[in-house]
Amino acid sequence: MHVPDGFIDAPTSAATGLIAAGAVAVSLRGARRELDERTAPLAGLVAAFIFAVQMLNFPVAAGTSGHLLGGALAAILVGPYTGVLCVSVVLLMQGVLFADGGLTALGVNITDMAVVTTVVAYAVFRGLVKVLPRTRRSVTAATFVAALVSVPASALVFTLIYAIGGTTDVAIGKVATAMVGVHVLIGIGEAVITALTVGAVVAVRPDLVYGARDLRQKLKLRVGGELVDAPDAEPVPVAARASHRGVWIAGLVTSLVLAGFVSFYASSSPDGLEKVAADHGIDKKAEDHAIADSPLADYGVRDVEDARLSGGLAGVIGVGVTVVAGSTVFWAVRRRRTGDTSPVNTGV
């Protein structure tokens, strides 16, 4: 779904850039309410994990592949505002370091891949968990559906953007049908990956999953023959909670293995957007990336002849840079929240 330069005209790219900038600004503010002692240490890791899994293209149809978008995963694990920031960090790293996704199309990609997927997925997820039993299985099931819906939703929004500012004259109806069709299939892969990941974390540390925080059923007491909610238990002190370190290390190691080793076996077929663009002439005016000669362009390290080693090194570098960049952003946001909630000395 990474839109390259040349697909969308300059005015529309600028407009989506403003939308993306506004969404990021709102998310920075909203993330201050989401990032606490549980989510803040993991948000940078979530961004790195999404970067790693996006390198794993999986086959979805004859000659077509797909990869994780990550909006649903990020929103459910660390919150919707923080989720937008996670995916935005990934897209920025991919565009600036790996020449994946056009620089002039960065606003399009953030709007479509970060904002739309996160907002749609979290809205569907919250709607489902309100009506489903409050169990871990319900969280996993709601995650699956939310991730599945978010991908074709993103495909529809891209089609709308292309209808407004596309650089070639194509039949939008046919493009919409092709985009939604292939991205429903990609959405199934997205749903499986997202549900497995969220389910695994919920199984061992449900307190770390933003979307599962109200999972615990309230206790009932019989008073005067009627059932009433028991008073909330005192929260467990932060210092007494199990350390996040084990989860963080396990997640980082998994990300490094996926990007550094497993990615070599990813499908080499064009992804959904590339396939539709080639079939319907959307790519006629595609432009070379501004940093196509980057040392890490196309997820390889320049001057490293062995393809397996080159791709693996690029993946490891990408995970490392993304976790550092993401952690820095979320640490700063978390610190700002702490500063805002600190007592103010009004004495003179």
Side-chain angles (χ1 to χ4, degrees), residues 70-98:
L73 178 64
I76 295 166
L77 284 179
V78 292
Y81 293 106
T82 308
V84 170
L85 298 179
C86 283
V87 182
S88 297
V89 167
V90 173
L91 294 171
L92 181 61
M93 295 299 101
Q94 290 170 333
V96 172
L97 296 179
F98 297 92

Side-chain angles (χ1 to χ4, degrees), residues 32-37 333-345:
R32 287 158 59 184
R33 299 191 297 272
E34 294 174 347
L35 292 169
D36 56 19
E37 69 280 355
V333 173
R334 169 67 177 154
R335 186 179 182 185
R336 179 71 179 272
R337 166 182 168 158
T338 303
D340 289 345
T341 57
S342 297
V344 178
N345 184 0

Side-chain angles (χ1 to χ4, degrees), residues 7 20 42 58 72 93 110 130 164 167 194 196 200 258 293 348:
F7 272 29
L42 298 178
F58 49 85
M93 295 299 101
I110 289 177
K130 286 182 179 180
I164 296 171
T167 55
T194 304
L196 287 175
L258 291 175
D293 58 348
V348 292

Side-chain angles (χ1 to χ4, degrees), residues 76-322:
I76 295 166
L77 284 179
V78 292
Y81 293 106
T82 308
V84 170
L85 298 179
C86 283
V87 182
S88 297
V89 167
V90 173
L91 294 171
L92 181 61
M93 295 299 101
Q94 290 170 333
V96 172
L97 296 179
F98 297 92
D100 188 11
L103 296 183
T104 62
L106 185 59
V108 175
N109 286 322
I110 289 177
T111 299
D112 197 30
M113 295 178 65
V115 179
V116 172
T117 58
T118 302
V119 171
V120 170
Y122 198 71
V124 173
F125 175 82
R126 292 308 305 171
L128 288 174
V129 295
K130 286 182 179 180
V131 299
L132 292 173
R134 298 172 68 180
T135 65
R136 295 178 182 181
R137 289 184 178 181
S138 295
V139 170
T140 303
T143 296
F144 184 94
V145 177
L148 174 61
V149 172
S150 70
V151 178
S154 179
L156 275 176
V157 170
F158 166 78
T159 305
L160 175 62
I161 294 173
Y162 198 85
I164 296 171
T167 55
T168 58
D169 186 13
V170 297
I172 295 299
K174 292 183 178 180
V175 172
T177 301
M179 284 290 291
V180 172
V182 71
H183 283 90
V184 166
L185 298 177
I186 294 172
I188 296 173
E190 176 106 9
V192 170
I193 295 170
T194 304
L196 287 175
T197 304
V198 172
V201 180
V202 167
V204 295
R205 290 294 302 274
D207 60 302
L208 296 182
V209 179
Y210 184 89
R213 289 188 172 183
D214 57 353
L215 186 62
R216 186 177 59 188
Q217 293 276 13
K218 282 184 173 294
L219 294 176
K220 297 287 187 179
L221 297 177
R222 188 174 293 278
V223 179
E226 296 183 358
L227 289 177
V228 298
D229 289 336
D232 290 334
E234 289 296 321
V236 180
V238 175
R241 296 175 184 154
S243 171
H244 305 324
R245 184 175 301 174
V247 174
W248 197 92
I249 292 175
L252 181 61
V253 170
T254 300
S255 300
L256 290 171
V257 170
L258 291 175
F261 177 72
V262 181
S263 62
F264 181 77
Y265 302 97
S267 173
S268 59
S269 298
D271 66 24
L273 176 58
E274 290 174 326
K275 179 65 173 176
V276 173
D279 290 347
H280 294 273
I282 293 176
D283 60 355
K284 289 180 179 178
K285 295 187 178 181
E287 301 173 0
D288 291 335
H289 201 284
I291 56 171
D293 58 348
S294 164
L296 297 173
D298 296 324
Y299 299 95
V301 178
R302 184 192 296 171
D303 298 329
V304 176
E305 301 298 332
D306 185 272
R308 186 192 298 266
L309 179 59
S310 178
L313 286 174
V316 169
I317 292 170
V319 168
V321 171
T322 302

